[in-house]
Amino acid sequence: PYPIYEHIRTREPVHYNPILQAWMVFGYEQAQAMLKNSNASSRRAELLAKKVPAAVRDKAKTFTQTANDMLLFLDPPEHRRKRHLTARPFSMRMVRRLEPTIRDMVDKALKRIADQGRFDMVHDLALPLPLGVIGAMLGVPESDRHTLKTFSEAMSLMVNHPKPSAEMVVQGSEGMEALFAYFRDLIAERRRQPQSDLISEWIKVEEQGDLLSAQEVLVNGCLLLFAGHETTTNLLGTGLYNLLRHGEQLQRLREEPNLIESAVEEMLRFESPVQMVTRIARADFVASGKQINRGDPIFVVLGSANRDRRHFNDPERFDITRRDSRHLAFGYGEHFCLGSGLARLEAKIVFEQLLEFFPSLSLAADQMEWKPDIMNRGLLSLPIAFET
Ligand code: HEM
């Protein structure tokens, strides 16, 4: 998509797309301004309702009504209050406590792979790991994690597809209802017997003064699963792909392992897992000289902003030593990703351990298949050959 982004960005950083019937913000500065603009509202669940086929609109209602309670779909001041309560137990301290668990999960996966001589980065590591980590953090037993994945993928397909079919809507809504039923039981169990997991911590916040309602605890569980797994999967897959495509960068990282953190930032900038975030205009306003009307959908194209040459030096170059990487891959402003610390830690551990474990890694296919999705950038599979 990048040459198209650039073509439009240099001419019209804020552009109306007649096919999507939406505004698209391509420039870095313009993306930051839009994400800070209080007229660009996150109360966008209705955008989903609009794209749903009429015959199944009722089915999607449960979803859109519930989405209205999710942080991602709220505006200040309600958003700020709920975000604070949700984020309090989901702190960097909690994330750091997960580090040994993540290392152990990666180690086990690599040992399994080592016996095979070849592996698929997406299927063998990038897909199961983020789900396992979120599951462990929330307190979902290992045996149930696969089921949750199926439900949350059905939801994701419905939300991210520009024109979901009736079948996708039915499956997505049913997925959400099944997730709810699952979390309801888990919450009831943790109420009886708290553990050291996020669900138990949220319950404490709720019981301390009813600040976070029982419904919000439930919705938060689904949100984390929904927001945190596919995104991290995509980062791990495209991150390794870009390292292998730029062999000199991989070599440099092997020689200077302390570049790992800036390498992860470059992976996020260069191939942003969330290519676009949506907003809806809540009033008429002007942005970069364009008249935006109340109700207009707005797509802020993070993947384009992150390659804007007015902000980054030589942006088409993948450079793990880059120092100007103040990218927008985790968003900007009020909704800045709540899981950024966790995602960064997971990626750091995965690439550290992968390079340590395999002295030689290479792509085992010439052509990669990308997901057919304009919102999320990720590979469907990534076959890798190695020597141990
Ligand atoms: C929000 C990206 C991983 C939880 C966001 C947003 C972006 C993003 C762009 C802002 C959306 C908007 O403004 O509309 C990513 C990327 C990830 C990642 C690229 C991985 C590489 C995670 C993980 C979790 C998580 C691991 C949790 C387990 C959330 C939550 C929000 C959010 C809860 C909503 C925050 C709010 O609305 O206040 N993420 N994310 N994310 N992310 Fe992430």
Side-chain angles (χ1 to χ4, degrees), residues 1 9 14 24 55 69 101-102 104 113 117-119 125 142 172 255 287 295 333-334 376 382:
R9 188 175 60 234
V14 176
M24 299 190 82
D69 284 332
T101 313
I102 304 175
D104 189 50
I113 290 167
R118 238 175 121 103
F119 72 101
L125 198 57
E142 219 172 316
E255 286 157 11
E334 298 283 346
N376 293 295
L382 180 62

Side-chain angles (χ1 to χ4, degrees), residues 44 71-72 79 83 227-228 231 274 277 279 329-331 335 337 339 343:
R44 52 198 141 151
L71 279 185
L72 261 177
H79 173 263
R83 176 162 167 126
T231 44
V274 177
V277 296
R279 296 291 186 266
F330 288 120
H335 291 273
C337 178

Side-chain angles (χ1 to χ4, degrees), residues 237-256:
T238 60
L240 181 62
Y241 175 62
N242 280 312
L243 270 184
L244 296 178
R245 272 199 330 147
H246 303 88
E248 75 299 343
Q249 303 280 315
L250 175 63
Q251 193 49 36
R252 179 96 193 252
L253 186 56
R254 285 196 186 277
E255 286 157 11
E256 290 178 64

Side-chain angles (χ1 to χ4, degrees), residues 166-187:
E167 197 191 341
M168 282 176 195
V169 173
V170 171
Q171 278 182 4
S173 305
E174 283 174 2
M176 191 206 71
E177 278 158 28
L179 263 184
F180 262 50
Y182 181 85
F183 278 116
R184 230 175 245 131
D185 289 347
L186 188 69
I187 290 168

Side-chain angles (χ1 to χ4, degrees), residues 28-314:
Y28 183 97
E29 205 184 296
Q30 293 78 6
Q32 270 189 328
M34 191 59 86
L35 293 174
K36 280 276 182 187
N37 191 328
S38 58
N39 286 320
S41 164
S42 284
R43 283 251 163 238
R44 52 198 141 151
E46 70 184 75
L47 289 179
L48 178 73
K50 269 193 203 153
K51 66 181 187 181
V52 164
V56 285
R57 214 157 269 168
D58 262 6
K59 207 55 192 153
K61 232 181 208 154
T62 347
F63 183 87
T64 44
Q65 276 162 2
T66 316
N68 274 322
D69 284 332
M70 288 188 180
L71 279 185
L72 261 177
F73 299 92
L74 296 177
D75 280 340
E78 204 186 354
H79 173 263
R80 221 164 282 169
R81 179 186 73 80
K82 285 192 188 164
R83 176 162 167 126
H84 173 68
L85 294 168
T86 305
R88 208 163 60 194
F90 185 15
S91 59
M92 259 333 269
R93 204 164 48 117
M94 169 135 205
V95 169
R96 271 190 226 107
R97 269 212 322 254
L98 280 171
E99 182 163 350
T101 313
I102 304 175
R103 286 204 182 274
D104 189 50
M105 286 180 183
V106 176
D107 196 52
K108 284 200 179 110
L110 296 183
K111 285 191 175 127
R112 265 195 305 274
I113 290 167
D115 297 334
Q116 302 164 18
R118 238 175 121 103
F119 72 101
D120 189 303
M121 176 64 176
V122 175
H123 295 280
D124 295 328
L125 198 57
L127 260 174
L129 183 74
L131 187 78
V133 173
I134 298 171
M137 185 170 70
L138 289 170
V140 173
E142 219 172 316
S143 50
D144 294 342
R145 289 180 199 156
H146 190 78
T147 327
L148 297 199
K149 173 174 160 250
T150 316
F151 299 147
S152 94
E153 276 174 1
M155 261 167 66
S156 169
L157 192 65
M158 167 176 76
V159 174
N160 291 322
H161 201 282
K163 277 243 166 288
S165 65
E167 197 191 341
M168 282 176 195
V169 173
V170 171
Q171 278 182 4
S173 305
E174 283 174 2
M176 191 206 71
E177 278 158 28
L179 263 184
F180 262 50
Y182 181 85
F183 278 116
R184 230 175 245 131
D185 289 347
L186 188 69
I187 290 168
E189 225 173 278
R190 292 299 186 271
R191 254 189 231 288
R192 282 194 297 274
Q193 209 166 32
Q195 308 262 332
S196 61
D197 57 39
L198 203 49
I199 294 273
S200 305
E201 292 296 324
W202 282 332
I203 292 174
K204 258 193 243 162
V205 176
E206 180 222 326
E207 288 177 346
Q208 272 162 11
D210 202 26
L211 289 167
L212 200 62
S213 73
Q215 165 75 359
E216 284 156 6
V217 173
L218 186 66
V219 168
N220 277 344
C222 297
L223 173 63
L224 252 51
L225 200 64
F226 175 65
H229 104 251
E230 189 182 351
T231 44
T232 314
T233 297
N234 290 343
L235 168 65
L236 299 177
T238 60
L240 181 62
Y241 175 62
N242 280 312
L243 270 184
L244 296 178
R245 272 199 330 147
H246 303 88
E248 75 299 343
Q249 303 280 315
L250 175 63
Q251 193 49 36
R252 179 96 193 252
L253 186 56
R254 285 196 186 277
E255 286 157 11
E256 290 178 64
N258 61 354
L259 282 176
I260 185 70
E261 275 157 17
S262 79
V264 170
E265 295 314 302
E266 183 64 347
M267 293 169 188
L268 283 157
R269 180 195 74 83
F270 194 74
E271 214 84 77
S272 304
V274 177
Q275 287 279 302
M276 313 185 186
V277 296
T278 52
R279 296 291 186 266
I280 184 161
R282 75 154 139 228
D284 295 351
F285 68 101
V286 175
S288 300
K290 301 291 166 86
Q291 176 63 49
I292 298 182
N293 294 322
R294 184 165 182 269
D296 283 352
I298 304 162
F299 289 66
V300 181
V301 191
L302 307 176
S304 165
N306 284 339
R307 294 209 184 199
D308 188 340
R309 57 186 71 252
R310 270 172 293 192
H311 187 80
F312 298 99
N313 192 11
D314 201 1

